[in-house]
Amino acid sequence: MNTQQAYDIWSDIYDTNINKTRDLEAKAIREILSGKTFKRCLEIGSGTGKNTEWLITKADEIVCVDLSEAMLNKAQAKIVNSGVTFTQADITREWDFAEGEFDLITFSLMLEHIEDLQEVFNKAAAHLTTGGYIYIGELHPFKQYSGSKARFETEAGQQIVTCFNHHVSDFVQAGKKTGLALVEVQEYFDDDDRTSVPRILTLLMRKNDG
Ligand SMILES: C[S@@+](CC[C@H](N)C(=O)[O-])C[C@H]1O[C@@H](n2cnc3c(N)ncnc32)[C@H](O)[C@@H]1O
C-alpha cells in the first residue's frame, strides 16, 4: 500500500482514534507560533485540517496541500472559510500549487514520508518571503530510533505507512543550505515527563536577508 492509499483509508479514523503524536503536535504548533501573525501560509500535508482550523486565526490566507483526497475531503467538510483553499498534490513533484511567496510554510507530521529532504527545503525556501518562517513538527527521531512509525489499525490488521528517518542535523543542514537560520528547537514529551523519550520535535527556521 502506498502513502496515498494508506492515508485515504486512515482518513476515516484519523481525527477520532487515540493518537498521542497527533495531539501533542497540535499543542506544539499552537505554542511555537502563538505570538505571530502571517499574511500567507502554505500548509504542506494539511491532512484533515487539525492545524488549519487554528492557522486561519493566525494568517489571512492558507493554501492547504495534501496527497490524499480523502484526508482533504475531511478537512473541507470542517473548514468553510474563503481564506482557505485545498489542493491535492504530491509535493515530491512540481509545486504548481504554490503561486507567489508565503511568510509561513508548515510541515506537521509529514516530512517523515519524504525521502529527499533537501529537494523539499529547496522548493519551500524558493516560495518563502525574506523574513518568512518554516515550521516543522515531527515525530521525534528518538521515537523513530526506538521503532515508532505512523501506523493505524484496520480490520485487516495494523497498517504501517512508509517512513524515512531524518536526524535533527538533517533538518538543520537542509535548512542552512537554502539560507534558513534556526530560530528555535523544542521537544515535547508525553505528560510533560522530561525523563521519557521525547515524542515531538519542532524546528522553527527563518529565511535570512540575501
Ligand atoms: C500524519 S498526516 C498529518 C496531517 C496533519 N498535518 C496533522 O498534523 O494532523 C501526514 C499527511 O501528509 C500527507 N502526505 C504524505 N506524503 C505527501 C506528499 N508526498 N505530498 C503531499 N502530502 C503528503 C498525507 O496524505 C497525510 O495527510
Side-chain angles (χ1 to χ4, degrees):
M1 188 185 300
N2 65 31
T3 303
Q4 186 171 10
Q5 291 164 335
Y7 277 105
D8 280 348
I9 295 170
W10 195 353
S11 67
D12 268 346
I13 54 164
Y14 186 85
D15 283 343
T16 49
N17 69 343
I18 293 169
N19 184 337
K20 288 184 186 175
T21 302
R22 173 199 64 207
D23 296 345
L24 197 54
E25 196 283 327
K27 178 179 179 222
I29 190 171
R30 285 156 177 76
E31 283 185 8
I32 301 296
L33 299 179
S34 63
K36 298 181 169 52
T37 54
F38 305 94
K39 289 193 176 73
R40 297 191 79 216
C41 169
L42 178 60
E43 189 185 1
I44 304 279
S46 50
T48 60
K50 171 195 91 187
N51 292 333
T52 318
E53 288 175 310
W54 179 76
L55 283 168
I56 195 58
T57 69
K58 309 293 291 175
D60 298 337
E61 183 191 343
I62 304 186
V63 175
C64 295
V65 182
D66 201 282
L67 183 63
S68 161
E69 199 80 58
M71 293 289 274
L72 284 165
N73 287 343
K74 291 277 178 190
Q76 279 176 288
K78 286 190 287 199
I79 301 160
V80 181
N81 186 309
S82 58
V84 183
T85 55
F86 298 92
T87 307
Q88 191 276 331
D90 179 349
I91 66 146
T92 64
R93 298 177 183 229
E94 286 306 303
W95 280 35
D96 301 331
F97 50 82
E99 276 180 31
E101 291 188 326
F102 298 85
D103 55 351
L104 174 66
I105 302 180
T106 70
F107 298 91
S108 291
L109 304 178
M110 82 82 52
L111 286 173
E112 69 183 305
H113 301 306
I114 300 297
E115 188 166 18
D116 187 345
L117 269 190
Q118 191 64 59
E119 190 192 347
V120 169
F121 267 80
N122 291 347
K123 287 175 175 164
H127 287 281
L128 202 60
T129 57
T130 299
Y133 290 91
I134 288 188
Y135 163 88
I136 296 163
E138 276 295 304
L139 181 66
H140 201 293
F142 293 173
K143 276 277 180 199
Q144 289 186 318
Y145 305 151
S146 58
S148 283
K149 285 190 162 79
R151 66 183 79 196
F152 60 101
E153 299 291 337
T154 67
E155 280 175 8
Q158 192 173 71
Q159 306 294 324
I160 296 178
V161 191
T162 304
C163 293
F164 302 93
N165 277 19
H166 301 301
H167 308 297
V168 177
S169 56
D170 294 338
F171 292 111
V172 176
Q173 291 304 322
K176 203 172 162 190
K177 284 185 188 151
T178 59
L180 300 176
L182 187 57
V183 176
E184 190 176 350
V185 183
Q186 287 294 347
E187 293 167 308
Y188 287 80
F189 300 77
D190 290 345
D191 305 318
D192 282 330
D193 176 6
R194 294 184 71 85
T195 64
S196 64
V197 176
R199 179 174 291 279
I200 296 292
L201 168 73
T202 68
L203 298 151
L204 187 65
M205 300 183 183
R206 194 166 195 202
K207 189 169 176 177
N208 292 323
D209 293 345

